[in-house]
Amino acid sequence: MAAAPPPPPPRSCSAAGRDALAAGGCAPLNVKCRGGLYSGSTVKRFPVPDDHVAWGAAFPEYAPKEYTAPAVLAGPVWADPQHTEGWGGRPPKFNELDGKIDRRSHMGRYKVVDGLSRNPIGRTGIKGRGLLGRWGPNHAADPIVTRWKRVGGVVEKKDGKPILQFVAIKRKDNNEWAIPGGMVDAGEKVSLTLRREFGEEALNSLQLSGADRKHLQEQINKLFSAGEMVYKGYVDDPRNTDNAWMETVAVTFHDENGENVGRLPFQAGDDAVGVKWVDAHSAIKLYASHTLFLQKTAELRHAHW
Ligand code: BGC
């Protein structure tokens, strides 16, 4: 009989990541935003070994390239001006609420080095903003909508624990399954972002007729009136750079008896090309740090994982 494979090594955890988590656990140490080519470009990230991610580790040969995607440099409303162009006369007020733009991090104060915000977790092998609009934190929100898996009305169990299902979307940008989250608009409350993104991405509310849309909105409002936060902080997102990174607030909304969202007709829309109920379990692979958020949700509900 073949020997059992060795258990995976424990996930590394930075002090900053540990401190920032509301629900225990640790933030991943720049795994998805390190090595290889930067998403959607031909720019190679400077190779950073695990033990050189932390800024405190001496790394004199570190010489990352600077890259900001043309779509960001074009100056859409969601993007900051370029530093090399005198910030367009409006240098960002880092670590502050800068007008409507929230430049504060969930991880505490981040450093500003040579006038630029510095990734609080560590090196990523690339400078600039890449695909991200903001220097410093780029804020998102993720709604984790769940129900129990039922077969013929009976909750299905595995290893004595009920199986949780969550609403997953297939992202258009990279075809990965993900939680239907999105960016917090300038000046927008996170509670609104959660509701809006779920409506836009999972329910394709944009294409519903007036009456259907109103009915669905009422159902979402009811469900979204009681959420529980499972994660708040830095996200190991493939778009992160040394100067710009993703942060999120992940909140779970549970339909205990499956009579609210459990019945909703899913349809792909907006940024999503697919949407469905998916069983939650430890082997699931999701975009960025979404598996971690799902694990926290399964723990909270005492569900199978
Ligand atoms: C996504 C969120 C995700 C965040 C960080 C956003 O673009 O919509 O679901 O958590 O990026 O990866």
Side-chain angles (χ1 to χ4, degrees):
M1 205 169 74
R11 208 158 183 182
S12 5
C13 192
S14 73
R18 274 196 305 269
D19 294 348
L21 287 194
C26 67
L29 191 63
N30 290 355
V31 176
K32 297 194 178 183
C33 59
R34 214 167 12 118
L37 296 180
Y38 184 85
S39 320
S41 81
T42 52
V43 183
K44 201 171 173 297
R45 288 181 185 261
F46 193 93
V48 180
D50 285 357
D51 56 358
H52 283 61
V53 172
W55 292 107
F59 196 4
E61 58 276 41
Y62 185 57
K65 286 203 177 109
E66 173 149 355
Y67 173 69
T68 298
V72 175
L73 292 175
V77 284
W78 46 269
D80 289 331
Q82 227 353 32
H83 61 315
T84 49
E85 287 159 19
W87 299 109
R90 286 176 288 119
K93 293 183 182 149
F94 289 124
N95 286 302
E96 286 180 38
L97 185 61
D98 184 1
K100 282 190 169 180
I101 304 164
D102 196 354
R103 302 194 191 274
R104 296 167 298 186
S105 166
H106 295 308
M107 314 292 288
R109 283 188 79 80
Y110 50 89
K111 287 199 171 156
V112 178
V113 179
D114 297 331
L116 296 180
S117 40
R118 190 166 86 168
N119 186 312
I121 296 296
R123 299 181 173 102
T124 66
I126 200 157
K127 293 191 294 187
R129 284 174 289 165
L131 289 163
L132 299 177
R134 305 277 173 220
W135 294 94
N138 287 252
H139 292 287
D142 285 294
I144 306 164
V145 173
T146 63
R147 69 176 184 187
W148 295 117
K149 182 176 191 179
R150 285 187 165 82
V151 177
V154 180
V155 174
E156 211 175 303
K157 293 190 174 177
K158 200 162 186 185
D159 306 327
K161 287 187 166 178
I163 299 176
L164 200 63
Q165 291 187 319
F166 71 104
V167 177
I169 55 140
K170 196 167 198 185
R171 290 177 63 104
K172 233 192 257 169
D173 53 356
N174 53 22
N175 266 345
E176 286 188 72
W177 285 94
I179 291 160
M183 308 302 294
V184 180
D185 290 341
E188 186 179 46
K189 281 211 170 106
V190 168
S191 54
L192 180 63
T193 313
L194 290 162
R195 212 174 283 206
R196 181 177 55 71
E197 286 293 339
F198 188 73
E200 287 175 6
E201 297 203 353
L203 294 165
N204 197 9
S205 58
L206 308 171
Q207 280 176 32
L208 288 172
S209 72
D212 287 348
R213 188 175 179 147
K214 190 162 175 273
H215 177 64
L216 276 181
Q217 202 52 60
E218 279 164 12
Q219 282 180 283
I220 300 177
N221 288 352
K222 198 168 152 210
L223 181 80
F224 277 56
S225 61
E228 287 170 84
M229 189 173 74
V230 289
Y231 183 87
K232 183 179 182 178
Y234 182 89
V235 181
D236 182 23
D237 185 287
R239 294 167 293 184
N240 292 350
T241 72
D242 284 2
N243 308 115
W245 59 92
M246 288 301 312
E247 298 199 7
T248 200
V249 177
V251 180
T252 181
F253 303 93
H254 182 59
D255 182 5
E256 181 63 25
N257 51 27
E259 284 174 1
N260 182 325
V261 286
R263 289 185 175 173
L264 291 179
F266 287 122
Q267 196 185 347
D270 203 44
D271 288 347
V273 283
V275 52
K276 60 179 184 178
W277 289 101
V278 174
D279 294 358
H281 58 84
S282 56
I284 202 156
K285 293 229 176 355
L286 297 173
Y287 180 73
S289 307
H290 289 188
T291 307
L292 174 70
F293 311 159
L294 193 61
Q295 179 182 359
K296 300 268 164 230
T297 306
E299 284 166 9
L300 179 79
R301 302 276 172 237
H302 305 288
H304 163 72
W305 178 243

